[in-house]
Coordinates of all heavy atoms in Angstrom, one line a residue:
M1 N 121.8 180.7 72.3 CA 121.0 179.7 72.8 C 121.5 179.3 74.2 O 122.6 179.2 74.5 CB 121.2 178.4 71.9 CG 120.2 177.4 72.2 SD 120.4 175.9 71.2 CE 119.9 176.4 69.7
T2 N 120.5 179.2 75.0 CA 120.8 178.9 76.4 C 120.6 177.4 76.7 O 120.0 176.7 75.8 CB 119.9 179.7 77.4 OG1 118.6 179.3 77.2 CG2 120.1 181.2 77.1
A3 N 120.9 176.9 77.8 CA 120.7 175.5 78.1 C 119.3 175.2 78.3 O 118.9 174.1 78.2 CB 121.5 175.2 79.4
L4 N 118.5 176.2 78.5 CA 117.0 176.0 78.7 C 116.3 175.8 77.3 O 115.2 175.2 77.3 CB 116.4 177.1 79.4 CG 116.9 177.3 80.9 CD1 116.2 178.5 81.5 CD2 116.6 176.1 81.7
D5 N 117.0 176.2 76.2 CA 116.3 176.1 74.9 C 116.4 174.7 74.4 O 115.6 174.3 73.6 CB 117.0 177.1 74.0 CG 116.7 178.5 74.3 OD1 115.7 178.8 75.0 OD2 117.4 179.4 73.9
T6 N 117.4 174.0 74.7 CA 117.6 172.6 74.2 C 117.1 171.6 75.2 O 117.4 171.8 76.4 CB 119.0 172.3 73.8 OG1 119.8 172.4 75.0 CG2 119.5 173.2 72.7
R7 N 116.5 170.6 74.8 CA 116.0 169.6 75.7 C 116.6 168.2 75.3 O 116.4 167.8 74.2 CB 114.5 169.5 75.6 CG 113.9 168.6 76.6 CD 112.4 168.7 76.5 NE 111.9 167.6 77.3 CZ 110.6 167.2 77.3 NH1 109.8 167.8 76.5 NH2 110.2 166.2 78.1
T8 N 117.2 167.6 76.2 CA 117.8 166.3 75.9 C 117.1 165.3 76.9 O 116.8 165.6 78.0 CB 119.3 166.2 76.1 OG1 119.6 166.6 77.5 CG2 120.0 167.1 75.2
T9 N 116.8 164.2 76.3 CA 116.2 163.1 77.2 C 117.3 162.2 77.6 O 118.0 161.6 76.8 CB 115.1 162.3 76.3 OG1 114.2 163.3 75.8 CG2 114.4 161.4 77.2
L10 N 117.4 162.1 78.9 CA 118.4 161.2 79.5 C 117.6 160.0 80.0 O 116.6 160.1 80.7 CB 119.1 161.9 80.6 CG 119.9 163.1 80.3 CD1 120.5 163.7 81.5 CD2 121.0 162.7 79.3
T11 N 118.1 158.8 79.6 CA 117.5 157.6 80.2 C 118.4 157.1 81.3 O 119.6 157.2 81.2 CB 117.4 156.5 79.1 OG1 118.7 156.3 78.5 CG2 116.5 156.9 78.0
P12 N 117.8 156.7 82.3 CA 118.6 156.2 83.4 C 119.5 154.9 83.0 O 119.1 154.2 82.1 CB 117.6 155.7 84.5 CG 116.3 156.2 84.0 CD 116.4 156.6 82.6
A13 N 120.6 154.7 83.6 CA 121.5 153.6 83.3 C 120.8 152.3 83.6 O 121.2 151.3 83.0 CB 122.8 153.8 84.0
T14 N 119.9 152.3 84.5 CA 119.3 151.0 84.8 C 118.3 150.5 83.8 O 117.9 149.3 83.8 CB 118.5 151.1 86.2 OG1 117.5 152.1 86.0 CG2 119.4 151.4 87.3
V15 N 117.9 151.3 82.8 CA 116.9 150.9 81.8 C 117.6 149.9 80.9 O 117.0 148.9 80.5 CB 116.4 152.1 81.1 CG1 115.5 151.6 79.9 CG2 115.5 152.9 82.0
R16 N 118.7 150.1 80.4 CA 119.4 149.2 79.5 C 119.6 147.8 80.0 O 119.3 146.9 79.3 CB 120.7 149.9 79.0 CG 120.4 151.1 78.1 CD 121.7 151.5 77.4 NE 121.4 152.8 76.7 CZ 121.9 153.9 77.0 NH1 122.7 154.0 78.0 NH2 121.6 155.0 76.3
P17 N 120.2 147.7 81.2 CA 120.3 146.3 81.7 C 119.0 145.6 81.9 O 118.8 144.4 81.7 CB 121.0 146.4 83.0 CG 121.8 147.7 82.9 CD 120.9 148.6 82.0
A18 N 118.0 146.4 82.3 CA 116.7 145.7 82.6 C 116.1 145.3 81.2 O 115.5 144.2 81.2 CB 115.7 146.7 83.2
L19 N 116.2 146.0 80.2 CA 115.7 145.6 78.9 C 116.5 144.4 78.4 O 115.9 143.4 77.9 CB 115.9 146.8 77.9 CG 115.5 146.5 76.5 CD1 114.0 146.1 76.4 CD2 115.8 147.6 75.5
G20 N 117.8 144.4 78.5 CA 118.6 143.3 78.1 C 118.2 142.0 78.9 O 118.2 140.9 78.4
L21 N 118.0 142.2 80.2 CA 117.6 141.1 81.0 C 116.2 140.5 80.6 O 116.0 139.3 80.6 CB 117.5 141.5 82.5 CG 117.2 140.4 83.5 CD1 118.3 139.3 83.5 CD2 117.2 141.0 84.9
R22 N 115.3 141.4 80.3 CA 114.0 141.0 79.8 C 114.1 140.2 78.5 O 113.4 139.2 78.3 CB 113.0 142.1 79.6 CG 112.5 142.6 81.0 CD 111.4 143.6 80.8 NE 112.2 144.9 80.7 CZ 111.7 146.0 80.3 NH1 110.5 146.1 79.9 NH2 112.4 147.1 80.3
V23 N 114.9 140.7 77.6 CA 115.1 140.0 76.3 C 115.8 138.6 76.6 O 115.3 137.6 76.0 CB 116.0 140.9 75.4 CG1 116.4 140.1 74.2 CG2 115.2 142.1 74.9
A24 N 116.8 138.6 77.4 CA 117.4 137.3 77.7 C 116.4 136.3 78.4 O 116.4 135.1 78.0 CB 118.6 137.5 78.6
N25 N 115.6 136.8 79.3 CA 114.6 135.9 79.9 C 113.6 135.4 78.9 O 113.1 134.3 79.0 CB 113.9 136.7 81.0 CG 114.8 136.8 82.3 OD1 115.7 136.1 82.4 ND2 114.4 137.8 83.1
A26 N 113.2 136.3 77.9 CA 112.3 135.9 76.9 C 112.9 134.8 76.0 O 112.2 133.8 75.6 CB 111.8 137.1 76.1
V27 N 114.1 134.9 75.7 CA 114.8 133.9 74.9 C 114.9 132.6 75.6 O 114.6 131.5 75.1 CB 116.2 134.4 74.4 CG1 117.1 133.3 73.8 CG2 116.1 135.6 73.5
V28 N 115.3 132.7 76.9 CA 115.4 131.5 77.7 C 114.0 130.8 77.8 O 113.9 129.6 77.7 CB 116.0 131.8 79.1 CG1 115.9 130.6 80.0 CG2 117.5 132.2 78.9
A29 N 113.0 131.6 78.0 CA 111.6 131.0 78.1 C 111.2 130.3 76.8 O 110.6 129.3 76.8 CB 110.6 132.1 78.5
A30 N 111.6 130.9 75.7 CA 111.2 130.4 74.4 C 112.0 129.0 74.2 O 111.4 128.1 73.7 CB 111.5 131.3 73.3
I31 N 113.2 129.0 74.6 CA 114.0 127.8 74.4 C 113.5 126.7 75.3 O 113.3 125.5 74.9 CB 115.5 128.1 74.7 CG1 116.1 128.9 73.6 CG2 116.3 126.8 74.9 CD1 117.5 129.4 73.9
N32 N 113.1 127.0 76.6 CA 112.5 126.1 77.5 C 111.2 125.5 77.0 O 110.9 124.3 77.1 CB 112.3 126.7 78.9 CG 113.6 126.9 79.6 OD1 114.6 126.2 79.3 ND2 113.6 127.7 80.6
H33 N 110.4 126.4 76.4 CA 109.1 125.9 75.9 C 109.3 125.0 74.7 O 108.7 123.9 74.6 CB 108.3 127.1 75.4 CG 107.0 126.8 74.8 ND1 106.0 126.2 75.5 CD2 106.5 126.8 73.5 CE1 104.9 125.9 74.7 NE2 105.2 126.3 73.5
A34 N 110.3 125.3 73.8 CA 110.6 124.5 72.7 C 111.1 123.1 73.1 O 110.7 122.1 72.6 CB 111.6 125.2 71.8
A35 N 111.9 123.1 74.2 CA 112.5 121.9 74.7 C 111.3 121.0 75.3 O 111.3 119.8 75.1 CB 113.5 122.2 75.8
K36 N 110.4 121.7 76.0 CA 109.3 121.0 76.6 C 108.4 120.3 75.5 O 108.0 119.2 75.6 CB 108.5 121.9 77.4 CG 107.3 121.2 78.2 CD 106.6 122.2 79.1 CE 105.4 121.5 79.7 NZ 104.6 122.5 80.5
V37 N 108.1 121.1 74.4 CA 107.3 120.5 73.3 C 108.0 119.4 72.7 O 107.4 118.3 72.4 CB 107.0 121.6 72.3 CG1 106.4 121.1 71.0 CG2 106.1 122.7 72.9
Y38 N 109.3 119.5 72.5 CA 110.1 118.4 71.8 C 110.1 117.2 72.7 O 109.9 116.0 72.2 CB 111.6 118.8 71.6 CG 112.4 117.7 71.1 CD1 112.3 117.2 69.8 CD2 113.4 117.1 71.9 CE1 113.1 116.1 69.4 CE2 114.2 116.1 71.5 CZ 114.0 115.6 70.2 OH 114.8 114.5 69.8
R39 N 110.3 117.3 74.0 CA 110.3 116.2 75.0 C 108.9 115.5 75.0 O 108.8 114.3 75.0 CB 110.6 116.7 76.4 CG 110.9 115.6 77.4 CD 111.4 116.2 78.7 NE 111.6 117.4 78.4 CZ 111.9 118.6 79.0 NH1 112.0 118.7 79.9 NH2 112.1 119.7 78.7
A40 N 107.8 116.3 75.0 CA 106.5 115.7 74.9 C 106.3 114.9 73.6 O 105.7 113.9 73.7 CB 105.4 116.8 75.1
W41 N 106.8 115.5 72.5 CA 106.6 114.8 71.2 C 107.4 113.5 71.3 O 106.9 112.4 70.8 CB 107.1 115.7 70.1 CG 107.2 115.0 68.8 CD1 106.2 114.7 67.9 CD2 108.4 114.5 68.1 NE1 106.7 114.1 66.8 CE2 108.0 114.0 66.9 CE3 109.7 114.5 68.5 CZ2 108.9 113.4 66.1 CZ3 110.7 114.0 67.6 CH2 110.2 113.4 66.4
R42 N 108.6 113.5 71.8 CA 109.5 112.3 71.8 C 108.8 111.3 72.8 O 108.8 110.1 72.4 CB 110.9 112.7 72.3 CG 111.9 111.6 72.2 CD 113.2 111.9 72.8 NE 113.0 112.2 74.2 CZ 113.7 113.1 74.9 NH1 114.6 113.9 74.3 NH2 113.5 113.3 76.2
N43 N 108.3 111.7 73.9 CA 107.7 110.8 74.9 C 106.4 110.2 74.3 O 106.1 109.1 74.6 CB 107.5 111.5 76.2 CG 108.8 111.7 76.9 OD1 109.8 111.1 76.7 ND2 108.7 112.7 77.9
R44 N 105.7 111.0 73.5 CA 104.5 110.5 72.9 C 104.8 109.3 71.9 O 104.1 108.3 71.8 CB 103.8 111.6 72.1 CG 102.4 111.2 71.7 CD 101.6 112.4 71.3 NE 101.2 113.2 72.4 CZ 100.1 113.0 73.1 NH1 99.3 112.0 72.8 NH2 99.8 113.8 74.1
R45 N 106.0 109.5 71.2 CA 106.4 108.4 70.3 C 106.7 107.1 71.1 O 106.4 106.0 70.7 CB 107.7 108.8 69.6 CG 107.4 109.7 68.4 CD 108.6 110.0 67.5 NE 109.6 109.0 67.5 CZ 110.9 109.3 67.5 NH1 111.3 110.6 67.4 NH2 111.8 108.4 67.4
E46 N 107.3 107.3 72.3 CA 107.6 106.2 73.2 C 106.3 105.5 73.7 O 106.3 104.3 73.9 CB 108.4 106.6 74.4 CG 109.8 107.1 74.0 CD 110.6 106.0 73.3 OE1 110.5 104.8 73.7 OE2 111.4 106.3 72.3
I47 N 105.2 106.3 73.9 CA 104.0 105.7 74.3 C 103.4 104.8 73.2 O 102.9 103.7 73.5 CB 102.9 106.8 74.6 CG1 103.4 107.6 75.8 CG2 101.6 106.3 74.9 CD1 103.7 106.8 77.1
Y48 N 103.6 105.2 71.9 CA 103.2 104.3 70.8 C 103.9 103.0 70.9 O 103.4 102.0 70.5 CB 103.4 105.0 69.5 CG 102.5 106.2 69.3 CD1 102.9 107.4 68.9 CD2 101.1 106.0 69.4 CE1 102.1 108.5 68.7 CE2 100.2 107.1 69.2 CZ 100.7 108.3 68.9 OH 99.8 109.3 68.7
R49 N 105.2 103.0 71.3 CA 106.0 101.8 71.4 C 105.4 100.9 72.5 O 105.4 99.7 72.4 CB 107.4 102.1 71.6 CG 108.1 102.6 70.4 CD 109.6 102.7 70.6 NE 110.2 103.3 69.4 CZ 111.4 103.8 69.4 NH1 112.2 103.8 70.5 NH2 111.9 104.4 68.4
L50 N 105.0 101.6 73.6 CA 104.4 100.8 74.7 C 103.1 100.1 74.2 O 102.8 99.0 74.7 CB 104.0 101.7 75.9 CG 105.2 102.2 76.7 CD1 104.7 103.2 77.7 CD2 105.9 101.0 77.4
G51 N 102.4 100.7 73.2 CA 101.2 100.1 72.7 C 101.5 98.8 71.9 O 100.6 98.0 71.8
E52 N 102.7 98.6 71.5 CA 103.1 97.4 70.8 C 103.3 96.2 71.7 O 103.5 95.1 71.3 CB 104.3 97.7 69.9 CG 104.0 98.7 68.8 CD 105.3 99.1 68.1 OE1 106.4 98.7 68.5 OE2 105.2 99.9 67.1
M53 N 103.4 96.5 73.1 CA 103.7 95.5 74.0 C 102.5 94.7 74.3 O 101.3 95.1 74.1 CB 104.2 96.1 75.3 CG 105.5 96.9 75.2 SD 105.9 97.7 76.7 CE 107.1 96.5 77.4
S54 N 102.7 93.5 74.8 CA 101.5 92.6 75.2 C 101.0 93.1 76.5 O 101.6 93.9 77.3 CB 102.0 91.2 75.3 OG 102.8 91.0 76.4
D55 N 99.8 92.6 76.9 CA 99.1 93.0 78.1 C 100.0 92.5 79.3 O 100.1 93.2 80.3 CB 97.7 92.5 78.2 CG 96.8 93.2 77.3 OD1 97.1 94.4 76.9 OD2 95.7 92.7 77.0
A56 N 100.6 91.4 79.2 CA 101.4 90.8 80.2 C 102.7 91.7 80.5 O 103.1 92.0 81.6 CB 101.8 89.4 79.9
Q57 N 103.3 92.2 79.4 CA 104.4 93.0 79.5 C 104.0 94.4 80.1 O 104.8 94.9 81.0 CB 105.1 93.3 78.1 CG 105.7 92.0 77.5 CD 106.2 92.2 76.1 OE1 105.5 92.9 75.3 NE2 107.3 91.7 75.7
L58 N 102.9 94.9 79.7 CA 102.4 96.2 80.4 C 102.2 96.0 81.8 O 102.5 96.8 82.7 CB 101.2 96.7 79.6 CG 101.4 97.2 78.2 CD1 100.0 97.5 77.6 CD2 102.2 98.5 78.3
S59 N 101.6 94.8 82.2 CA 101.3 94.5 83.6 C 102.6 94.5 84.4 O 102.6 94.9 85.6 CB 100.5 93.2 83.7 OG 100.3 92.9 85.0
D60 N 103.6 93.9 83.8 CA 104.9 93.8 84.5 C 105.5 95.2 84.9 O 106.2 95.3 85.9 CB 106.0 93.1 83.6 CG 105.7 91.6 83.6 OD1 105.0 91.1 84.4 OD2 106.3 91.0 82.7
I61 N 105.2 96.2 84.1 CA 105.6 97.6 84.4 C 104.6 98.4 85.1 O 104.7 99.6 85.3 CB 106.2 98.3 83.2 CG1 105.2 98.4 82.1 CG2 107.5 97.6 82.7 CD1 105.6 99.3 80.9
G62 N 103.5 97.8 85.5 CA 102.4 98.4 86.3 C 101.4 99.3 85.5 O 100.8 100.2 86.0
L63 N 101.3 98.9 84.2 CA 100.3 99.7 83.4 C 99.3 98.7 82.7 O 99.5 97.5 82.7 CB 101.1 100.4 82.2 CG 102.1 101.4 82.6 CD1 102.9 101.9 81.4 CD2 101.4 102.6 83.3
T64 N 98.2 99.3 82.3 CA 97.2 98.6 81.5 C 97.0 99.2 80.2 O 97.5 100.4 80.0 CB 95.9 98.5 82.2 OG1 95.4 99.8 82.3 CG2 96.0 97.9 83.6
R65 N 96.4 98.5 79.2 CA 96.2 99.1 77.9 C 95.3 100.3 78.0 O 95.4 101.3 77.3 CB 95.6 98.1 77.0 CG 95.6 98.5 75.6 CD 95.7 97.4 74.6 NE 96.7 96.4 74.9 CZ 98.0 96.5 74.5 NH1 98.4 97.6 73.9 NH2 98.9 95.5 74.7
S66 N 94.3 100.3 79.0 CA 93.5 101.5 79.2 C 94.2 102.7 79.6 O 93.9 103.8 79.3 CB 92.3 101.1 80.1 OG 92.8 100.9 81.4
D67 N 95.3 102.5 80.4 CA 96.2 103.6 80.8 C 96.8 104.3 79.6 O 96.8 105.5 79.5 CB 97.3 103.2 81.7 CG 96.8 102.6 83.0 OD1 95.7 102.9 83.4 OD2 97.6 101.8 83.6
L68 N 97.2 103.5 78.6 CA 97.8 104.0 77.4 C 96.7 104.8 76.6 O 97.0 105.9 76.0 CB 98.3 102.9 76.5 CG 99.5 102.1 77.1 CD1 99.9 101.0 76.1 CD2 100.6 103.0 77.5
F69 N 95.5 104.3 76.6 CA 94.4 104.9 75.9 C 94.1 106.3 76.5 O 93.9 107.3 75.8 CB 93.1 104.1 75.9 CG 92.0 104.7 75.1 CD1 92.0 104.7 73.7 CD2 90.9 105.2 75.8 CE1 90.9 105.3 73.0 CE2 89.9 105.8 75.1 CZ 89.9 105.8 73.7
V70 N 94.2 106.4 77.8 CA 93.9 107.6 78.5 C 94.9 108.7 78.1 O 94.6 109.8 77.8 CB 93.9 107.4 80.0 CG1 93.9 108.8 80.8 CG2 92.7 106.6 80.4
V71 N 96.2 108.3 78.1 CA 97.2 109.3 77.8 C 97.3 109.6 76.3 O 97.7 110.7 75.9 CB 98.6 108.9 78.3 CG1 98.6 108.8 79.8 CG2 99.1 107.6 77.7
W72 N 96.8 108.7 75.4 CA 96.8 109.0 74.0 C 95.7 110.1 73.7 O 95.9 110.9 72.8 CB 96.4 107.8 73.2 CG 97.5 106.9 72.9 CD1 98.8 107.2 72.7 CD2 97.5 105.5 72.7 NE1 99.6 106.1 72.4 CE2 98.8 105.0 72.4 CE3 96.4 104.5 72.8 CZ2 99.0 103.7 72.2 CZ3 96.7 103.2 72.5 CH2 98.0 102.8 72.3
Q73 N 94.7 110.2 74.6 CA 93.6 111.2 74.4 C 94.0 112.5 75.0 O 93.3 113.5 74.8 CB 92.4 110.7 75.1 CG 91.8 109.4 74.6 CD 91.6 109.4 73.1 OE1 91.0 110.4 72.6 NE2 92.0 108.4 72.4
S74 N 95.1 112.7 75.6 CA 95.5 113.9 76.2 C 96.0 114.9 75.1 O 96.4 114.5 74.0 CB 96.6 113.7 77.2 OG 97.8 113.2 76.6
P75 N 95.9 116.2 75.4 CA 96.4 117.2 74.4 C 97.9 117.0 74.1 O 98.6 116.5 74.9 CB 96.1 118.5 75.1 CG 95.3 118.3 76.3 CD 95.4 116.8 76.6
F76 N 98.3 117.6 73.0 CA 99.7 117.3 72.5 C 100.7 117.9 73.5 O 101.7 117.3 73.7 CB 99.9 117.9 71.1 CG 101.3 117.8 70.7 CD1 101.8 116.6 70.3 CD2 102.2 118.9 70.7 CE1 103.1 116.4 69.9 CE2 103.5 118.7 70.3 CZ 103.9 117.5 69.9
G77 N 100.5 119.1 74.0 CA 101.5 119.7 74.9 C 101.7 119.0 76.2 O 102.6 119.3 76.9
V78 N 100.8 118.1 76.6 CA 100.9 117.4 77.9 C 101.9 116.2 77.7 O 101.7 115.4 76.8 CB 99.5 116.9 78.4 CG1 99.6 116.1 79.6 CG2 98.6 118.1 78.5
D79 N 102.8 116.1 78.6 CA 103.8 115.0 78.6 C 103.1 113.7 79.0 O 102.7 113.5 80.2 CB 105.0 115.3 79.4 CG 106.1 114.3 79.2 OD1 105.9 113.3 78.5 OD2 107.2 114.5 79.8
P80 N 102.9 112.7 78.1 CA 102.2 111.4 78.5 C 103.0 110.6 79.5 O 102.3 109.9 80.3 CB 102.1 110.7 77.2 CG 103.2 111.3 76.3 CD 103.4 112.7 76.7
T81 N 104.3 110.7 79.5 CA 105.0 109.9 80.5 C 104.8 110.4 81.9 O 104.7 109.6 82.9 CB 106.5 109.9 80.2 OG1 107.0 111.2 80.2 CG2 106.8 109.2 78.9
E82 N 104.6 111.7 82.1 CA 104.2 112.2 83.4 C 102.9 111.6 83.9 O 102.7 111.3 85.0 CB 104.2 113.7 83.4 CG 105.6 114.3 83.3 CD 105.6 115.8 83.3 OE1 104.5 116.4 83.5 OE2 106.6 116.4 83.0
Q83 N 101.9 111.6 82.9 CA 100.6 111.1 83.2 C 100.7 109.6 83.6 O 100.0 109.2 84.5 CB 99.7 111.3 82.1 CG 99.2 112.7 81.9 CD 98.2 112.8 80.8 OE1 98.4 112.3 79.7 NE2 97.1 113.5 81.0
L84 N 101.4 108.8 82.8 CA 101.5 107.4 83.1 C 102.2 107.2 84.5 O 101.8 106.3 85.2 CB 102.4 106.7 82.0 CG 101.6 106.4 80.7 CD1 102.6 105.8 79.8 CD2 100.4 105.6 81.0
G85 N 103.2 108.0 84.8 CA 103.8 107.9 86.1 C 102.8 108.2 87.3 O 102.8 107.5 88.3
Q86 N 101.9 109.2 87.1 CA 100.9 109.5 88.1 C 99.9 108.4 88.2 O 99.5 108.0 89.3 CB 100.2 110.8 87.7 CG 101.1 112.0 87.8 CD 100.5 113.3 87.2 OE1 99.4 113.2 86.7 NE2 101.2 114.4 87.4
I87 N 99.5 107.8 87.1 CA 98.6 106.7 87.1 C 99.2 105.5 87.8 O 98.5 104.9 88.7 CB 98.1 106.3 85.7 CG1 97.3 107.4 85.1 CG2 97.4 105.0 85.6 CD1 97.0 107.3 83.6
S88 N 100.4 105.2 87.5 CA 101.1 104.1 88.1 C 101.3 104.3 89.6 O 101.0 103.3 90.4 CB 102.4 103.8 87.4 OG 103.1 102.8 88.0
E89 N 101.7 105.5 90.0 CA 101.8 105.8 91.4 C 100.5 105.6 92.2 O 100.5 105.1 93.3 CB 102.4 107.2 91.6 CG 103.9 107.3 91.2 CD 104.8 106.6 92.1 OE1 104.6 106.6 93.3 OE2 105.8 106.0 91.6
A90 N 99.4 106.1 91.6 CA 98.1 106.0 92.2 C 97.7 104.6 92.4 O 97.2 104.2 93.4 CB 97.1 106.8 91.4
R91 N 98.0 103.8 91.4 CA 97.6 102.3 91.5 C 98.5 101.7 92.6 O 97.9 100.9 93.3 CB 97.9 101.7 90.1 CG 97.4 100.2 90.1 CD 97.5 99.6 88.7 NE 96.5 100.3 87.9 CZ 96.7 100.9 86.7 NH1 97.9 100.9 86.2 NH2 95.7 101.4 86.0
I92 N 99.7 102.0 92.7 CA 100.6 101.4 93.7 C 100.1 101.8 95.1 O 100.0 100.9 96.0 CB 102.1 101.8 93.5 CG1 102.6 101.1 92.2 CG2 102.9 101.5 94.7 CD1 104.0 101.7 91.8
R93 N 99.8 103.1 95.3 CA 99.2 103.5 96.6 C 97.9 102.8 96.9 O 97.7 102.4 98.1 CB 99.0 105.0 96.6 CG 100.3 105.8 96.7 CD 100.1 107.3 97.0 NE 99.3 107.9 96.0 CZ 99.8 108.5 94.9 NH1 101.1 108.6 94.8 NH2 99.0 109.1 94.0
A94 N 97.1 102.6 95.9 CA 95.8 101.9 96.2 C 96.1 100.4 96.6 O 95.4 99.9 97.5 CB 94.9 102.0 94.9
Y95 N 97.0 99.8 95.9 CA 97.3 98.4 96.2 C 97.9 98.3 97.6 O 97.6 97.4 98.4 CB 98.3 97.8 95.2 CG 97.7 97.5 93.9 CD1 98.5 97.4 92.7 CD2 96.3 97.2 93.7 CE1 98.0 97.2 91.5 CE2 95.8 97.0 92.5 CZ 96.6 96.9 91.4 OH 96.1 96.7 90.1
E96 N 98.8 99.2 98.0 CA 99.4 99.2 99.3 C 98.4 99.5 100.4 O 98.4 98.8 101.4 CB 100.5 100.3 99.4 CG 101.7 99.9 98.6 CD 102.8 101.0 98.6 OE1 102.5 102.1 99.0 OE2 103.9 100.7 98.1
A97 N 97.4 100.4 100.1 CA 96.4 100.6 101.1 C 95.5 99.4 101.3 O 95.1 99.0 102.4 CB 95.5 101.8 100.7
L98 N 95.2 98.7 100.2 CA 94.4 97.5 100.3 C 95.2 96.4 101.0 O 94.6 95.7 101.9 CB 94.1 97.0 98.8 CG 93.2 95.8 98.7 CD1 91.8 96.0 99.3 CD2 93.1 95.3 97.3
A99 N 96.4 96.3 100.8 CA 97.2 95.3 101.5 C 97.3 95.6 103.0 O 97.3 94.7 103.8 CB 98.7 95.2 100.9
R100 N 97.3 96.8 103.4 CA 97.3 97.2 104.8 C 96.0 96.8 105.5 O 96.0 96.4 106.6 CB 97.6 98.7 105.0 CG 99.0 99.1 104.8 CD 99.3 100.5 105.1 NE 100.5 100.9 104.5 CZ 100.6 101.8 103.5 NH1 99.5 102.3 103.0 NH2 101.8 102.1 103.0
R101 N 94.9 97.0 104.7 CA 93.6 96.7 105.3 C 93.5 95.2 105.5 O 92.9 94.7 106.4 CB 92.5 97.2 104.4 CG 92.0 98.6 104.8 CD 90.7 98.9 104.2 NE 91.1 99.3 102.8 CZ 90.2 99.4 101.8 NH1 88.9 99.0 102.0 NH2 90.5 99.8 100.6
I102 N 94.0 94.4 104.5 CA 93.8 93.0 104.6 C 94.8 92.4 105.7 O 94.4 91.5 106.4 CB 94.2 92.3 103.2 CG1 93.1 92.7 102.2 CG2 94.2 90.8 103.3 CD1 93.4 92.3 100.8
G103 N 96.0 92.9 105.7 CA 97.0 92.4 106.6 C 96.8 92.9 108.0 O 96.5 92.5 109.0

């Protein structure tokens, strides 16, 4: 038998680390996704607690009951606290712009 009769497949050395890196990245991505879903679930529970506050208390933190209703209607994977932050920031910017026009 000569060397030409047998065929061996050689894989480059770079394939194994690349595969390991892809597996590691997939595991990290899965963990990050699970953490994001857990955080959204936990924050949604906190939104329910905000619903127990009076309108005056909500006003003190820059929110209205309708803001809570808007974020309750959002899909589960969306973090409601981020939405409330955006709503509150937009309201603050609108008030500041109005104050500049008046003043």
Side-chain angles (χ1 to χ4, degrees):
M1 187 183 291
T2 65
L4 297 176
D5 292 338
T6 61
R7 181 176 173 194
T8 58
T9 305
L10 297 176
T11 58
T14 58
V15 171
R16 288 190 187 114
L19 178 63
L21 185 60
R22 281 185 275 167
V23 168
N25 285 340
V27 168
V28 168
I31 290 171
N32 286 339
H33 178 69
K36 184 178 177 182
V37 168
Y38 173 72
R39 189 173 350 166
W41 173 76
R42 189 183 65 215
N43 289 341
R44 189 166 291 273
R45 282 185 28 214
E46 294 300 322
I47 297 301
Y48 290 127
R49 288 188 186 164
L50 286 174
E52 297 171 355
M53 297 174 98
S54 70
D55 289 339
Q57 291 171 323
L58 288 173
S59 177
D60 286 345
I61 59 175
L63 298 173
T64 63
R65 194 150 310 276
S66 63
D67 297 337
L68 298 179
F69 182 74
V70 168
V71 298
W72 279 329
Q73 300 302 316
S74 64
F76 178 73
V78 177
D79 189 355
T81 56
E82 290 177 10
Q83 285 184 313
L84 283 178
Q86 292 169 357
I87 291 170
S88 179
E89 289 291 322
R91 185 172 292 125
I92 289 169
R93 284 193 299 272
Y95 288 154
E96 288 173 350
L98 182 63
R100 284 189 199 106
R101 266 194 281 163
I102 293 173

